[in-house]
Amino acid sequence: MKLDIKQKIKSHLLLFIIVALAFFFRIYGLNWDQYYHLHPDERQITIVTTNIKFPQNISISEIFSPDSPLNPKFFAYGSFPIYLLKFLGYLFSFIDSDFSSYEKINLLGRLMSAIFDSLTVLLIYLISKQLFFSKKISILASSVYAFSVFPVQLSHFYAVDTLLTFFICLTLYRILLFYRYPSFKNAIIIGLCFGLSLATKISATILIVSFTLCLFVEFLLSLKRDILYQKSSRFKKIISYFLAIFNPKVIAKNKGFRVQKTIFYFLSTAIATFVFFVVFEPFALLDFSTFWRQINEQSLMTKDAFVFPYTLQYVGTLPYLYPLKNIFLWGLGPPFAILSLIGIYLVFKKLLKGLFSPGNELSEGTQLIVYSFFIAYFFVVGQFDVKFMRYCLPIYPILSIFAAYVLSLSSNKIKILFYALNFIWLFSFLNIYRFPNTRVSATKWIQQNVPAGSTILREHWDDGIPLGYNQEYNLQELTLYDTDLDPRKWSRINWQLKNGDYLVLASNRLYTPLQKLTNCQDLPVDKCYLITSKYYQDLFSGKLGYTKVAEFTSYPRFFAIPFIDDQADESFTVYDHPKVIIFKNNSF
């Protein structure tokens, strides 16, 4: 008994250390952009949040009107993160009034992002215990997620992804508990967690697959128990099992499957989900037309990479393989990603084998529920035309569990090797937060080296450099996303190039995708950029009449060894460590 207590204390202490380290990594360099609000999604959320006002006159008709000052009128993300940030801003304004204003409220959001993602580490531990009944695997799974680069990076932004992942994991955990202890109370709690997930981002609807499967897993496994314990050949057992699934008489007689109770639980959760979703995102119902229009716009974007200029980077990228590449190379990093891929195979093999072998039904049921979510989510998101890396964050906890399963089967030397390799990548990435953001450094360089009154050319659809308000310079935008078919585009740009003093590329947001969109036979007529591609080639080769005078990079770096991540998904680099290049007109 004393030994069990000591082991329990040891495991809890180890878990506490992992969560504490996870939190530290997630808040390290939290003000990475030095108050310049350089993440566009976070910036939009911040603007929406600060625009929300409490009604001056408490009137039911005013509060519940589409024109209510509480209506964010922004539904690309859910309303819960916005209201949460507004509440925190109000709370912390008693310490510093700037925390309720645009200047600093995003820092509160980043802190909440780090807290929620650190709590996800704890949830992974709890979920893993339900899957494998092993503290060892649970500790390993928590540590894999805690020390993975991509969750650490996204915790530095308040763009709802870490909150969404937390609530999805919380919902999954409650589904697993419901599977073991079905009750009306647990069904309502699932509805609460699911409602919060949807009020954070509507893409959480994929959780329906896991909950629906949860209601039927007991039926499937009870059939398995009845059939596989029969004295007959393995082949006959397998055939009997599949025939029984689709046999109404067997379904009706099977004592482990109660249709009425299943329908009751399903409806209870569905109603609770709807109620809590409306509570946390009320204007989805009160301003349904705006909500529905914006949700459809977001849905259309995921299906067509040509919809917005900033999604052109995904034209021609391969479904499933492109997100897997970014998970493998950058998000988890090769060490943990290799373990995850092996774990996906081993867990599937174990489930398939267990389906036709008696015993372990409880563990198999929980694993099947989580595995189904992983497959369903990746199947839907992986085929999107638009493949932002953050879309896949909700499956990182599951990938961490798969990796931990493999680590649990490995020797201590193998464990140490994989953790050491991962820490090289993690600490290399954290190095970017030790130094000023490249856009901030470029701004200071301009202020120190570019004379007042100079004309600075900047690209549209990107953060303009120099940052902030710079009335001493003549700032002009190069509209390079405009179609090459418009002759006015190049007459205007050529005039700007002739009269400009400096030209700034704030990131690779434009020049990387536009140089690839040159195969006019396979592209929409207005999305072929042959002339624009030639423009960039001439700019980089010096033929355009501009010479590079400064370049600012902040690559992940292990001591003196940089990890060049120029080929990573743009969203991995463009916010916190983009490459900035400044050119000077040779004529001046």
Side-chain angles (χ1 to χ4, degrees):
M1 181 66 70
K2 289 183 178 180
L3 185 63
D4 290 341
I5 294 174
K6 285 183 179 180
Q7 288 179 343
K8 188 174 183 179
I9 293 173
K10 182 180 177 181
S11 64
H12 286 178
L13 179 61
L14 191 54
L15 178 62
F16 174 79
I17 292 171
I18 290 170
V19 173
L21 284 173
F23 181 66
F24 171 75
F25 293 143
R26 283 155 175 76
I27 61 170
Y28 179 75
L30 203 63
N31 188 18
W32 49 268
D33 54 355
Q34 292 84 62
Y35 299 107
Y36 276 109
H37 299 261
L38 293 180
H39 193 293
D41 299 302
E42 177 189 87
R43 186 165 59 225
Q44 178 64 33
I45 290 173
T46 301
I47 293 171
V48 171
T49 301
T50 52
N51 285 339
I52 289 176
K53 307 295 180 185
F54 295 103
Q56 294 182 347
N57 300 317
I58 304 300
S59 166
I60 298 297
S61 60
E62 182 184 8
I63 292 175
F64 294 101
S65 163
D67 296 323
S68 168
L70 292 172
N71 184 0
K73 298 182 180 179
F74 174 72
F75 300 104
Y77 294 137
S79 298
F80 174 72
I82 294 170
Y83 292 136
L84 176 63
L85 186 58
K86 187 69 177 182
F87 172 74
L88 291 172
Y90 171 76
L91 204 62
F92 279 80
S93 66
F94 293 102
I95 301 172
D96 183 346
S97 60
D98 283 345
F99 279 126
S100 64
S101 65
Y102 179 79
E103 280 68 30
K104 288 185 179 179
I105 196 171
N106 67 316
L107 296 182
L108 292 177
R110 292 177 187 179
L111 178 62
M112 291 308 300
S113 182
I115 291 172
F116 273 98
D117 206 51
S118 299
L119 292 175
T120 298
V121 174
L122 180 59
L123 281 174
I124 291 170
Y125 175 86
L126 297 174
I127 290 171
S128 300
K129 281 190 69 176
Q130 295 295 322
L131 300 184
F132 299 105
F133 307 112
S134 167
K135 291 181 181 178
K136 178 182 178 181
I137 296 177
S138 301
I139 289 290
L140 289 170
S142 297
S143 65
V144 169
Y145 185 83
F147 307 140
S148 293
V149 162
F150 194 51
V152 169
Q153 183 190 41
L154 289 187
S155 296
H156 285 75
F157 314 142
Y158 192 65
V160 316
D161 304 286
T162 51
L163 277 71
L164 174 66
T165 301
F166 168 80
F167 286 120
I168 283 178
C169 285
L170 183 60
T171 307
L172 276 175
Y173 175 61
R174 296 306 311 187
I175 289 173
L176 297 180
L177 289 183
F178 176 85
Y179 169 67
R180 295 186 66 182
Y181 312 107
S183 67
F184 175 72
K185 175 185 174 181
N186 282 337
I188 297 301
I189 293 175
I190 291 173
L192 169 62
C193 299
F194 196 5
L196 279 165
S197 301
L198 293 172
T200 301
K201 197 174 183 183
I202 205 69
S203 59
T205 48
I206 300 174
L207 280 166
I208 293 172
V209 174
S210 292
F211 180 64
T212 304
L213 183 63
C214 169
L215 294 172
F216 289 94
V217 159
E218 174 58 28
F219 161 62
L220 296 173
L221 295 182
S222 65
L223 280 180
K224 169 196 155 181
R225 284 193 297 268
D226 291 346
I227 293 171
L228 294 186
Y229 280 106
Q230 295 174 3
K231 292 183 178 181
S232 58
S233 68
R234 187 179 184 86
F235 177 75
K236 286 184 177 179
K237 289 178 181 179
I238 293 172
I239 296 300
S240 299
Y241 176 65
F242 280 110
L243 290 176
I245 292 176
F246 302 103
N247 190 328
K249 292 182 179 179
V250 173
I251 292 174
K253 292 180 180 179
N254 192 279
K255 59 185 178 182
F257 181 73
R258 301 192 178 148
V259 176
Q260 290 182 344
K261 187 171 286 189
T262 298
I263 293 173
F264 172 72
Y265 286 145
F266 184 85
L267 291 177
S268 298
T269 300
I271 293 169
T273 299
F274 176 77
V275 169
F276 286 117
F277 170 68
V278 171
V279 167
F280 294 112
E281 190 167 355
F283 291 95
L285 188 62
L286 298 172
D287 190 7
F288 183 76
S289 60
T290 303
F291 168 78
W292 191 247
R293 174 175 53 80
Q294 292 188 16
I295 291 299
N296 283 329
E297 287 173 357
Q298 292 297 307
S299 177
L300 179 62
M301 181 192 74
T302 64
K303 298 172 184 175
D304 185 0
F306 291 105
V307 170
F308 296 111
Y310 54 82
T311 59
L312 290 175
Q313 61 171 310
Y314 298 111
V315 173
T317 54
L318 295 174
Y320 304 112
L321 292 180
Y322 184 83
L324 280 176
K325 180 194 77 172
N326 283 294
I327 290 171
F328 183 88
L329 292 177
W330 317 110
L332 282 177
F336 283 166
I338 289 171
L339 294 173
S340 296
L341 292 175
I342 297 172
I344 291 171
Y345 167 73
L346 290 181
V347 172
F348 178 74
K349 182 181 177 182
K350 183 172 177 286
L351 278 172
L352 197 62
K353 184 178 179 180
L355 197 59
F356 304 109
S357 303
N360 299 317
E361 282 81 9
L362 188 59
S363 178
E364 289 167 11
T366 54
Q367 290 173 31
L368 190 59
I369 290 166
V370 172
Y371 205 95
S372 70
F373 168 77
F374 169 75
I375 296 298
Y377 191 93
F378 186 67
F379 177 78
V380 172
V381 173
Q383 53 84 34
F384 283 170
D385 269 14
V386 173
K387 307 174 183 69
F388 289 114
M389 279 183 68
R390 65 179 182 270
Y391 288 173
C392 284
L393 184 66
I395 64 171
Y396 274 68
I398 316 301
L399 291 171
S400 300
I401 294 171
F402 290 148
Y405 179 71
V406 179
L407 281 171
S408 70
L409 304 175
S410 308
S411 66
N412 288 333
K413 289 183 179 180
I414 295 297
K415 290 188 183 74
I416 292 171
L417 173 63
F418 274 92
Y419 274 101
L421 291 172
N422 177 75
F423 273 112
I424 289 174
W425 174 225
L426 175 61
F427 291 138
S428 298
F429 182 81
L430 286 172
N431 257 326
I432 69 172
Y433 299 125
R434 290 180 55 209
F435 306 100
N437 184 275
T438 49
R439 288 173 171 168
V440 176
S441 298
T443 296
K444 290 181 179 179
W445 186 93
I446 289 172
Q447 291 168 345
Q448 294 169 1
N449 295 276
V450 176
S454 297
T455 297
I456 300 177
L457 308 180
R458 315 188 298 186
E459 297 181 317
H460 66 164
W461 288 93
D462 205 349
D463 284 270
I465 295 176
L467 300 168
Y469 300 100
N470 296 275
Q471 296 180 350
E472 66 269 32
Y473 300 114
N474 176 27
L475 306 176
Q476 296 187 16
E477 284 193 339
L478 299 173
T479 56
L480 289 153
Y481 275 132
D482 289 357
T483 176
D484 280 357
L485 298 177
D486 184 357
R488 294 172 296 179
K489 169 183 176 178
W490 288 108
S491 61
R492 181 176 60 252
I493 289 176
N494 287 333
W495 183 89
Q496 289 174 310
L497 291 171
K498 181 180 178 181
N499 293 280
D501 298 303
Y502 290 85
L503 189 158
V504 181
L505 304 183
S507 71
N508 67 334
R509 172 165 284 172
L510 278 78
Y511 68 75
T512 292
L514 296 186
Q515 288 188 90
K516 295 177 181 178
L517 300 175
T518 57
N519 189 354
C520 297
Q521 293 180 344
D522 299 329
L523 295 167
V525 176
D526 62 336
K527 298 300 181 184
C528 184
Y529 290 94
L530 270 174
I531 303 174
T532 305
S533 177
K534 181 66 166 55
Y535 155 82
Y536 279 117
Q537 292 171 21
D538 290 345
L539 174 63
F540 292 127
S541 66
K543 295 179 181 179
L544 200 64
Y546 280 74
T547 300
K548 182 169 69 173
V549 292
E551 181 175 295
F552 302 87
T553 58
S554 180
Y555 293 118
R557 185 179 297 273
F558 187 69
F559 293 107
I561 305 172
F563 289 89
I564 310 299
D565 55 1
D566 291 339
Q567 300 305 312
D569 185 85
E570 176 201 293
S571 63
F572 185 69
T573 63
V574 74
Y575 309 129
D576 52 14
H577 63 291
K579 178 192 288 187
V580 181
I581 309 174
I582 301 176
F583 298 86
K584 183 178 181 181
N585 192 333
N586 296 335
S587 302
F588 298 95

